[in-house]
């Protein structure tokens, strides 16, 4: 296998890790005003992701760094052409991160409601815009002979791109509802699973349309298998939601999200950024890559560091994988492990 192909596959894996893990984070944030009927409910929801949300974002940093090092031309064209959407995603992630930290610092409904709104906005923007961005990458954007993006923001606001954004928005909301069903107990668990069942219908409908459009317009023979896997996974997730088998449902949305990323990157290969101006101007894994020596050095580093990151994050999930509910939330507005008594309940 060529090193450029290896790095294309590795970047695909990194995006799978990010969108699967951050996907349910986004879902929890978006559903905060829907499932959180009072402050305690919202604190339960936030604390299901509080120990892990920042670790999930590491996958984005690594994916971006790997793209910059392995395919600098791709990175440069992508970030110049998609500057405003990526900036909005970054702003959303910053707002959400600040909200998690500041929400419990002051007693008061107005203060908490302000940061709850920030969490919703900071979750919804990336959930929508990542789909728009990836759909446009697969569709192709105006790139000239100098590998420069020649379009505008409105170039990205096409029907296929907007459908991609709606797909990720609904899929992450569905994913997040099942995650809450898996991580909570009591009334909020019941409401989360019931909402997941309702979300399954529009999520599956929109995802099927997007997947078929993608496959028919940009797919390859082997990616039909990925479409089938994604469809079966979504149907299984819906079954899990309706039958209140949240573990089955959540595992299925993990598979569906991973399949969606494989479908998009599979449709791209061997391009990394197709040009809608002229296919000769498209960026490929060969004309957008770093030198062979750079890829060799990076490969040795990746072979050592990637397993370490996976093992560490797996351990983190193992430590904090406990159901929580209103009875485990201490007085005040801090995190549930902010008191010795609360910490003891997690051991």
């Amino acid at each position: 296998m060529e090193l450029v192909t290896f790095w294309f596959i590795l970047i695909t894996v990194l995006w799978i890790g990010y969108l699967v893990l951050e996907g349910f984070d986004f879902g929890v944030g978006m559903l905060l005003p829907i499932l959180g009927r009072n402050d305690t409910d919202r604190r339960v929801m936030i604390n299901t992701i509080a120990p892990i949300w920042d670790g999930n974002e590491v996958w984005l940093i690594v994916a971006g760094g790997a793209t910059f090092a392995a395919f600098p031309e791709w990175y440069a064209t992508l970030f110049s052409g998609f500057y405003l959407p990526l900036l909005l995603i970054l702003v959303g992630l910053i707002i959400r991160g600040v909200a998690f930290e500041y929400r419990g610092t002051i007693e008061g409904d107005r203060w908490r409601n302000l940061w709850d709104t920030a969490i919703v906005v900071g979750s919804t923007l990336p959930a929508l815009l990542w789909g728009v961005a990836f759909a446009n990458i697969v569709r192709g954007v105006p790139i000239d002979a100098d590998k420069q993006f020649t379009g505008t923001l409105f170039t990205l606001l096409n029907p296929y791109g907007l459908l991609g954004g709606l797909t990720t928005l609904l899929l992450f909301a569905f994913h997040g509802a099942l995650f809450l069903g898996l991580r909570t107990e009591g009334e909020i668990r019941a409401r989360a699973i019931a909402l997941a069942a309702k979300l399954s219908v529009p999520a599956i409908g929109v995802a099927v349309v997007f997947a078929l459009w993608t496959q028919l317009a940009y797919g390859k023979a082997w990616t039909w298998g990925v479409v089938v896997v994604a469809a079966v996974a979504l149907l299984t997730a819906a079954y899990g939601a309706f039958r209140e088998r949240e573990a089955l449902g959540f595992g299925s949305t993990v598979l569906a999200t991973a399949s969606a990323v494989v479908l998009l990157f599979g449709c791209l290969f061997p391009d990394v950024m197709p040009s809608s101006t002229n296919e000769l101007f498209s960026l490929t894994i060969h004309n957008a890559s770093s030198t062979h020596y750079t890829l060799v050095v990076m490969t040795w580093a990746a072979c050592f560091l990637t397993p370490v990151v996976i093992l560490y994050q797996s351990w983190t999930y193992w430590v904090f994988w406990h159901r929580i509910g209103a009875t485990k939330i201490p007085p005040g507005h801090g995190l549930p492990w902010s008191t010795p008594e609360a910490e003891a309940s997690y051991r």
Side-chain angles (χ1 to χ4, degrees):
M1 180 189 296
E2 291 182 297
L3 284 180
V4 288
T5 303
F6 169 80
W7 274 97
F8 183 87
I9 293 173
L10 181 57
I11 289 172
T12 304
V13 172
L14 293 173
W15 278 108
I16 289 173
Y18 172 68
L19 293 176
V20 165
L21 299 177
E22 194 83 307
F24 64 72
D25 283 357
F26 292 149
V28 172
M30 288 188 288
L31 299 178
L32 201 63
I34 300 175
L35 292 175
R37 295 182 177 177
N38 52 53
D39 183 61
T40 300
D41 285 349
R42 291 189 288 273
R43 291 176 63 200
V44 170
M45 294 174 65
I46 291 170
N47 285 306
T48 60
I49 59 175
I52 55 178
W53 70 267
D54 49 354
N56 293 342
E57 291 188 351
V58 170
W59 290 84
L60 174 61
I61 297 171
V62 177
T67 303
F68 172 75
F71 301 101
E73 295 285 359
W74 182 15
Y75 183 92
T77 304
L78 175 65
F79 276 76
S80 61
F82 289 62
Y83 181 81
L84 184 55
L86 293 177
L87 177 63
L88 290 174
I89 290 173
L90 180 60
V91 169
L93 294 177
I94 292 173
I95 290 174
R96 190 181 63 138
V98 171
F100 285 143
E101 300 297 333
Y102 276 64
R103 183 185 188 276
T105 58
I106 296 178
E107 298 282 348
D109 291 338
R110 290 184 63 184
W111 177 263
R112 293 192 297 272
N113 290 339
L114 170 66
W115 292 113
D116 286 347
T117 302
I119 292 172
V120 175
V121 173
S123 300
T124 304
L125 268 179
L128 174 69
L129 293 177
W130 278 129
V132 173
F134 276 106
N136 275 285
I137 292 173
V138 172
R139 176 179 179 267
V141 293
I143 300 174
D144 62 18
D146 296 323
K147 301 177 182 178
Q148 297 294 317
F149 177 81
T150 58
T152 66
L153 174 63
F154 297 103
T155 304
L156 308 180
L157 302 180
N158 53 79
Y160 179 71
L162 294 175
L163 180 62
L166 183 60
T167 300
T168 52
L169 187 73
L170 290 172
L171 179 59
F172 291 160
F174 184 30
H175 193 35
L178 287 166
F179 174 78
L180 286 170
L182 192 63
R183 288 280 281 110
T184 59
E185 59 188 18
E187 291 186 7
I188 193 166
R189 170 185 173 271
R191 293 201 300 269
I193 296 175
L195 179 60
K198 294 177 182 177
L199 285 171
S200 66
V201 177
I204 292 175
V206 172
V208 167
V209 173
F210 179 70
L212 288 176
W213 189 343
T214 301
Q215 176 61 33
L216 293 173
Y218 314 106
K220 301 175 177 64
W222 68 270
T223 52
W224 274 113
V226 181
V227 173
V228 172
V229 170
V232 172
L234 285 173
L235 291 173
T236 305
Y239 172 81
F242 279 101
R243 303 293 292 184
E244 298 187 4
R245 297 175 60 182
E246 60 269 31
L248 174 64
F250 180 72
S252 298
T253 52
V254 167
L255 179 58
T257 305
S259 299
V261 178
V262 173
L263 174 63
L264 293 173
F265 277 82
C267 291
L268 269 179
F269 187 82
D271 291 337
V272 292
M273 205 159 180
S275 172
S276 59
T277 304
N278 188 325
E279 63 179 14
L280 297 177
F281 301 157
S282 296
L283 300 181
T284 70
I285 60 173
H286 294 99
N287 66 20
S289 68
S290 295
T291 64
H292 179 75
Y293 179 76
T294 301
L295 295 178
V296 170
V297 174
M298 289 175 55
T299 300
W300 281 106
C303 289
F304 171 73
L305 294 175
T306 304
V308 173
V309 172
I310 293 174
L311 287 173
Y312 173 76
Q313 194 159 28
S314 299
W315 175 81
T316 303
Y317 274 83
W318 175 261
V319 169
F320 290 104
W321 199 261
H322 305 274
R323 289 185 183 271
I324 63 174
T327 59
K328 294 182 180 179
I329 297 294
H333 300 286
L335 298 175
W337 46 87
S338 57
T339 65
E341 295 80 6
E343 289 179 1
S345 70
Y346 278 81
R347 295 172 182 160

